[in-house]
Amino acid sequence: PPRPPPAHALGTMPPAPKRSATAAGLSSTGPKKAAAARPRASGGGSKSALLKTKSPAEFFAENKNIAGFDNPGKSLYTTLREFVENGLDAAESVPVLPDISVEIAEVSKSQFRALLGSAAALPSTDERLDTAIYKDVETDKERKLREKKEAAAAARASTPADPNNTPAAPAPAASARANLFRVTVTDNGIGMPHDDLPEMLGRVLTGTKYCVKQSRGKFGLGSKMALIWAKMSTGMPVEVVSAMKAGGPMTKCVLDIDIARNEPNIISLERVMPDPGAAPWRGTKISVVIEGNWTSYRAKILQYMRQIAVITPHALFRFAFTAEGSHRDKSFAVTFARRSDKLPPSALEVKHHPSSVNQLLIKQIIDQVKPSTSLLNFLSKQLSSIDRAYAKRLIAELAGEFTEEMPVSELDVNRIRQLDHLLHQARFEKPTGSCLSPAGEYNLRLGIMKELKPDLVATFAEPADVFEGHPFIVEAGVSLGGQSVKQGINVYRFANRIPLLFEAGSDVVSRTAVSSILWSSYKISPTQV
């Protein structure tokens, strides 16, 4: 049969221009291999740009300040904090009284060279071939500038500078002291399963705490960010030892994270038996070498350790700092003793509060129940603070196509939008707080008295509330005087038993305690005892 006329003959499209054999991808010897197709996106110009996808690990590596890794000093603080709070959660989930050991050890250049091995070792100061390229070596230009500044400073002080007695150039702060540290935290918690350990530590946004229940971590980010920071700053992997049963087999793992793929890069993973005669142990020991700044964040780290001991009086904390080289006299150890042998009540997993859900979350909850579940049962059983009587009132308010018996499978996008709008407009009871595990005013007062020994102390705990789906309880303490604290009024703030250290002084509690109360009426000075 005759072939139909080409499309351009019908007026639907212009005729295609003629192409040579070479332009069509053909040569005189045969067809060329087709080029792999790549997705492209218009960039607004003449050239198109390749579409790229970033993994979660890649995103957080480029935006590490989101997770508290703004600079080396804060990264050292955040790494320690994440490991400590993971250890507390692991112990309280057993439940057992937490026993947490923390060590920050300086890593000298020679030690770091030994860790890298001979093949990857950096040249020592004596082995440098071209010293001029190193920033810790003073150039002639820098020396002249320094001498000029010193002469000007001496002139201002009316003390003539002695050109024959030029002081030596001070070494940069980064090279004067070690800026690499090994952070090691050991707990007596539940441990990690052998097969799951690499995923739990080597894949960002992977965790066991994705539920409405209080825990110090939730998103599977903190400890992974410590691995990412280690990879970015030192290139060293994390070392983990974990045991789920005292005296039983232990898992030893060395791994880092493949940032581009967001997956663990396992260097070694093995099961071993504990040494004969060793004390039975269950828990996790995690160690990582990172860049940090102990000098700038020493006070903040010690403040955190003290305040976590205040809000967790049932825990025992051992903290040690080990200095290297000529600064070994700066090493010290401190123990924050356990004051109570009573664990706080365990937090319960609860349903989402209706005022905290959104359209996406409603759809996710619908996908988790049977399609035949009635709307009445869905509202009264899948959301908190809604009983059957109140669920009927809500459905009646929706009216129209909504009925008590309609299956949730019939909730399309528009109906979910209507339901979400009503849930945000309706009035509900506040969360009961059963998903939270606050320290309580008694334990908070006990912790402050144990660690700070103040002259006066007062504590307060707010009722449970919810913000954007996250239940929380704020607890605060105010003390006067004490040991190793500034004189006068001191304020301690905690949210879900986590110390709030940053931006202190600008919050409501501090302003009320220091500025709004007329302390002179009580013959008390807010700045001195």
Side-chain angles (χ1 to χ4, degrees):
R3 284 198 271 177
H8 66 267
L10 301 176
T12 58
M13 59 180 292
K18 294 182 179 180
R19 303 173 63 195
S20 65
T22 305
L26 301 176
S27 65
S28 58
T29 57
K32 286 186 178 179
K33 186 177 181 180
R38 295 183 180 180
R40 293 181 179 270
S42 60
S46 58
K47 294 183 179 181
S48 59
L50 286 175
L51 285 174
K52 294 182 179 180
T53 301
K54 289 186 180 295
S55 73
E58 207 170 3
F59 171 81
F60 284 107
E62 295 177 0
N63 301 275
K64 54 186 180 297
N65 59 300
I66 296 176
F69 287 76
D70 305 54
N71 52 65
K74 194 172 181 182
S75 298
L76 177 64
Y77 162 80
T78 306
T79 297
L80 177 143
R81 174 177 172 168
E82 293 292 345
F83 289 170
V84 167
E85 291 173 4
N86 283 348
L88 288 172
D89 281 340
E92 292 174 358
S93 67
V94 174
V96 65
L97 295 172
D99 189 339
I100 310 294
S101 296
V102 181
E103 181 183 7
I104 298 179
E106 284 185 340
V107 178
S108 65
K109 290 184 177 180
S110 59
Q111 290 175 327
F112 188 60
R113 285 163 54 86
L115 290 174
L116 293 176
S118 59
L122 300 175
S124 64
T125 305
D126 298 334
E127 297 171 342
R128 293 175 177 177
L129 299 178
D130 186 356
T131 58
I133 69 172
Y134 292 92
K135 63 182 180 181
D136 59 350
V137 176
E138 188 179 38
T139 63
D140 291 339
K141 183 179 179 181
E142 291 170 338
R143 179 180 56 79
K144 292 178 181 179
L145 181 61
R146 173 177 57 79
E147 291 173 350
K148 182 178 179 181
K149 289 182 177 179
E150 289 171 353
R156 285 194 300 269
S158 300
T159 303
D162 183 3
N164 298 321
N165 188 25
T166 304
S175 60
R177 291 290 300 275
N179 62 346
L180 301 180
F181 300 87
R182 179 179 289 278
V183 180
T184 305
V185 177
T186 307
D187 65 62
N188 62 333
I190 195 171
M192 290 183 278
H194 176 83
D195 295 331
D196 295 339
L197 191 152
E199 290 287 326
M200 295 174 73
L201 287 176
R203 192 183 297 273
V204 173
L205 303 183
T206 298
T208 60
K209 303 175 184 178
Y210 284 99
C211 59
V212 187
K213 175 182 175 180
Q214 177 178 323
S215 59
R216 295 174 178 85
K218 178 176 180 179
F219 302 107
L221 179 61
S223 58
K224 287 82 166 179
M225 277 304 304
L227 270 69
I228 291 175
W229 175 247
K231 192 174 182 69
M232 295 175 68
S233 61
T234 66
M236 298 297 295
V238 65
E239 300 174 11
V240 187
V241 180
S242 187
M244 299 190 68
K245 182 180 179 182
M250 300 187 301
T251 296
K252 285 189 174 182
C253 182
V254 179
L255 62 86
D256 64 10
I257 184 169
D258 186 329
I259 294 179
R261 297 183 178 182
N262 188 32
E263 61 183 28
N265 177 26
I266 303 173
I267 299 172
S268 67
L269 177 65
E270 58 179 341
R271 278 193 178 98
V272 297
M273 292 303 296
D275 296 332
W281 171 74
R282 177 193 60 201
T284 299
K285 178 180 180 181
I286 184 167
S287 181
V288 65
V289 177
I290 60 173
E291 182 182 355
N293 188 331
W294 169 255
T295 304
S296 299
Y297 271 78
R298 177 184 187 275
K300 187 70 70 177
I301 289 173
L302 293 179
Q303 182 186 13
Y304 169 76
M305 291 302 302
R306 171 165 285 181
Q307 291 209 22
I308 198 70
V310 164
I311 198 65
T312 322
H314 57 279
L316 171 65
F317 296 95
R318 299 181 181 89
F319 178 86
F321 173 75
T322 305
E324 264 301 316
S326 59
H327 303 281
R328 289 181 180 175
D329 58 330
K330 302 294 184 181
S331 302
F332 68 92
V334 60
T335 298
F336 301 92
R338 181 181 290 119
R339 182 65 183 266
S340 171
D341 58 359
K342 184 178 180 181
L343 285 164
S346 299
L348 304 176
E349 184 176 347
V350 299
K351 304 297 183 181
H352 290 277
H353 193 268
S355 65
S356 67
V357 300
N358 52 48
Q359 297 178 44
L360 177 62
L361 185 55
I362 292 174
K363 183 65 171 66
Q364 290 175 347
I365 300 174
I366 289 174
D367 292 340
Q368 294 171 4
V369 301
K370 293 181 179 179
S372 59
T373 303
S374 67
L375 181 58
L376 178 62
N377 286 336
F378 175 79
L379 291 176
S380 59
K381 294 182 179 181
Q382 298 301 319
L383 298 175
S384 64
S385 302
I386 300 180
D387 55 21
R388 291 183 68 83
Y390 201 68
K392 291 181 179 180
R393 294 174 62 185
L394 292 172
I395 296 173
E397 185 67 23
L398 288 167
E401 301 175 345
F402 292 88
T403 64
E404 297 178 6
E405 300 304 324
M406 72 178 298
V408 293
S409 58
E410 296 182 8
L411 293 178
D412 56 17
V413 174
N414 289 328
R415 289 171 178 169
I416 290 177
R417 185 180 296 114
Q418 290 178 261
L419 177 59
D420 175 65
H421 181 74
L422 177 61
L423 292 179
H424 282 85
Q425 296 294 320
R427 187 190 307 274
F428 298 99
E429 294 290 335
K430 286 191 174 183
T432 62
S434 57
C435 63
L436 302 174
S437 178
E441 289 191 51
Y442 173 77
N443 280 331
L444 178 55
R445 179 188 298 266
L446 192 68
I448 293 176
M449 294 174 64
K450 170 179 74 79
E451 293 300 328
L452 310 176
K453 298 178 174 58
D455 299 320
L456 296 173
V457 61
T459 56
F460 181 75
E462 278 283 343
D465 210 333
V466 63
F467 178 74
E468 294 186 354
H470 305 295
F472 68 92
I473 288 181
V474 173
E475 299 173 280
V478 179
S479 69
L480 178 67
Q483 294 183 358
S484 302
V485 293
K486 69 179 181 67
Q487 294 299 298
I489 298 296
N490 289 284
V491 178
Y492 311 96
R493 308 167 298 147
F494 305 90
N496 290 355
R497 285 196 283 152
I498 295 177
L500 304 177
L501 302 184
F502 291 92
E503 298 184 14
S506 60
D507 62 290
V508 175
V509 178
S510 298
R511 290 186 177 185
T512 302
V514 177
S515 305
S516 301
I517 298 176
L518 192 60
W519 290 106
S520 59
S521 301
Y522 305 94
K523 297 183 179 180
I524 293 176
S525 172
T527 58
Q528 61 184 7
V529 179

